[in-house]
Amino acid sequence: MENQKKNQWISPEEAYIYVGQQKLRRGYTTGSCAAAAAQAAARVLFGEEEPKTVELTVPKGLTLCIPVHSVQKYEGQAQASVCKDSGDDPDVTDHIEVVVSIQPNPTPGITIRGGQGVGRVTKPGLEMPVGEAAINKTPRRMIREQIELVQQEHPEWEGVGLLVTVSIP
């Protein structure tokens, strides 16, 4: 049962990868966790029931069913979290909780910022400019796409500016 709660891929053949002769269970990235948490938070903010899982298609075209760890709604904002599962090739971020909060913002569009536990770019040479939250281009795009997906299902929220904060407490 514990394994069923972890890393649930839509199709069973996608759940594993072979490295040489070794069969390894796939995990998901910190960016995928942030995008899934953003989708869950948006759903709650826009008036839906608290999701237990969210479906997320990753840039490689695979679709995940990611368990939502927690969801909270406060006045004017919602927050959701996903606990990272690094699969059979774990890294230091395995089992961390990735938290995303979303609230309306007077600035148009979707503004993504880093909160507690998210580093800042300190030297040139990375995708993001110095001083910006260390959330790379692909995870930013995934977060934005998930929120826009939910906005399309709720026309009353289309065009509303949103402030998205990604934290790793």
Side-chain angles (χ1 to χ4, degrees):
M1 183 70 156
E2 179 64 24
N3 254 356
Q4 287 180 325
K5 286 186 169 182
K6 288 184 172 184
N7 195 3
Q8 298 175 23
W9 295 77
I10 298 302
S11 96
E13 64 273 4
E14 293 174 342
Y16 294 92
I17 186 169
Y18 284 91
V19 178
Q21 298 281 338
Q22 191 173 15
K23 182 178 179 181
L24 300 175
R25 187 177 57 82
R26 292 181 188 253
Y28 34 83
T29 66
T30 307
S32 292
C33 293
Q39 184 191 137
R43 290 194 179 286
V44 171
L45 180 65
F46 300 164
E48 293 184 24
E49 296 280 323
E50 294 182 9
K52 301 290 184 217
T53 61
V54 294
E55 285 189 17
L56 174 73
T57 301
V58 297
K60 289 185 178 181
L62 303 173
T63 301
L64 298 169
C65 181
I66 299 179
V68 177
H69 178 71
S70 70
V71 179
Q72 297 176 337
K73 187 171 183 181
Y74 308 102
E75 190 165 321
Q77 76 174 25
Q79 176 178 294
S81 71
V82 167
C83 290
K84 183 171 177 183
D85 175 5
S86 295
D88 284 340
D89 187 20
D91 60 22
V92 72
T93 62
D94 194 29
H95 302 297
I96 62 167
E97 184 178 15
V98 180
V99 180
V100 174
S101 65
I102 303 177
Q103 62 190 48
N105 189 14
T107 305
I110 297 171
T111 303
I112 300 171
R113 68 180 183 182
Q116 178 186 359
V118 175
R120 298 247 164 231
V121 177
T122 59
K123 295 181 180 179
L126 297 175
E127 289 181 341
M128 305 310 297
V130 172
E132 191 67 36
I135 304 169
N136 289 328
K137 180 174 54 177
T138 300
R140 283 176 186 267
R141 185 186 80 238
M142 292 171 64
I143 292 165
R144 189 171 282 109
E145 286 172 353
Q146 291 307 302
I147 295 167
E148 289 170 347
L149 173 89
V150 181
Q151 276 182 314
Q152 289 171 6
E153 297 169 10
H154 297 273
E156 68 278 15
W157 282 91
E158 283 193 64
V160 174
L162 297 169
L163 178 61
V164 179
T165 304
V166 178
S167 302
I168 302 178

